[in-house]
Amino acid sequence: MKTARITGSDTQYPIGKIICLARNYVEHIRELGNDTPEQPVLFMKPSTSVIGSGDCIVIPSYSTECHHEVELALLMGRGGKAIPEGEALEHLAGYGVALDMTLRDVQGELKKKGLPWEIAKGFDTSCPLSEFVPAEAVADPQALRLRLEINGQLRQDGTTDLMIHPVRRIISHVSSIFTLEPGDVILTGTPAGVGVVRSGDRLQAELVGLATLEVTVG
Ligand code: MG
């Protein structure tokens, strides 16, 4: 079983379901030529997709185009169903940084056929995840910055004020469909700058000033 850790404490949460938003930053929607959805586009990764700092991403043999997407990750500390936006942040245990590793070639074929994305998004090692800073350490989740360097070169650099759906609304919306439980994780979408990773790459992701994550591509 995979666990989520809160930085600076012994608190751990067994990771439950991982719910992910797609298309939550306008510039990223443009770079992939997608339409802007009215409701958040949701998909899931299994908990078995999680790896941590120091671990290795393994690209499945059925893909030749694996992309990085750096994202703000939310860890639920309290569960709930149809959580009101005004109470949403009180349900969080912490904030972290994640990589939503995506087999873009496979996803492209699935999209064309109208098929689900899981084999492009939920394969083993597709969800590198940092430790989480306690939610109390973040006054405003829409004032955070995400960065990703690959082999020391900046690839993604975005701020959470550019989200289409803010964190409060995401939690409220997701919990109106899926009952949330402690240990569930929500990935909130990627800012612009996604691109290919290759064998041997070293990925350093940062929720600036709060959490870091370093993985390599096998
Ligand atoms: Mg994503």
Side-chain angles (χ1 to χ4, degrees):
M1 185 178 288
K2 311 279 182 164
T3 55
R5 295 171 199 282
I6 302 290
T7 307
S9 88
D10 294 331
T11 309
Q12 294 188 17
Y13 291 85
I15 294 177
K17 56 190 171 292
I18 303 166
I19 300 158
C20 311
L21 266 77
R23 304 182 200 171
N24 199 27
Y25 289 81
V26 172
E27 291 301 319
H28 171 64
I29 292 170
R30 286 203 189 115
E31 74 183 346
L32 291 186
N34 285 318
D35 296 326
T36 303
E38 281 184 27
Q39 291 289 335
V41 175
L42 303 178
F43 62 93
M44 294 216 222
K45 292 177 187 264
S47 59
T48 45
S49 66
V50 171
I51 58 173
S53 264
D55 290 341
C56 190
I57 296 164
V58 180
I59 302 172
S61 59
Y62 53 86
S63 172
T64 57
E65 189 187 16
C66 182
H67 274 199
H68 55 79
E69 298 188 357
V70 69
E71 308 201 0
L72 173 68
L74 312 173
L75 176 65
M76 302 309 298
R78 265 205 289 143
K81 173 80 180 166
I83 299 166
E85 283 189 34
E87 298 168 18
L89 301 186
E90 298 163 25
H91 287 252
L92 286 178
Y95 296 86
V97 61
L99 290 166
D100 168 19
M101 301 308 297
T102 301
L103 307 177
R104 195 70 72 200
D105 51 352
V106 176
Q107 186 196 27
E109 287 301 313
L110 295 168
K111 273 187 190 172
K112 267 192 248 169
K113 295 174 184 165
L115 293 172
W117 297 354
E118 274 69 16
I119 65 168
K121 290 280 202 179
F123 58 94
D124 287 356
T125 75
S126 66
C127 191
L129 200 54
S130 72
E131 289 192 352
F132 289 81
V133 289
E136 308 85 76
V138 174
D140 178 3
Q142 305 314 134
L144 301 174
R145 186 171 173 204
L146 294 158
R147 293 179 93 252
L148 175 69
E149 290 186 1
I150 300 184
N151 305 324
Q153 291 202 317
L154 185 63
R155 295 292 188 88
Q156 290 190 264
D157 186 359
T159 50
T160 56
D161 62 328
L162 299 175
M163 285 182 179
I164 297 169
H165 304 288
V167 168
R168 290 171 184 277
R169 193 184 310 155
I170 292 170
I171 294 168
S172 181
H173 177 71
V174 167
S175 69
S176 73
I177 301 168
F178 307 104
T179 295
L180 290 172
E181 299 176 302
D184 286 347
V185 172
I186 302 175
L187 305 193
T188 56
T190 191
V194 301
V196 174
V197 300
R198 297 184 200 289
S199 180
D201 281 349
R202 186 167 50 89
L203 282 64
Q204 288 179 296
E206 190 179 7
L207 177 60
V208 175
L210 296 172
T212 59
L213 171 67
E214 181 169 334
V215 290
T216 52
V217 181

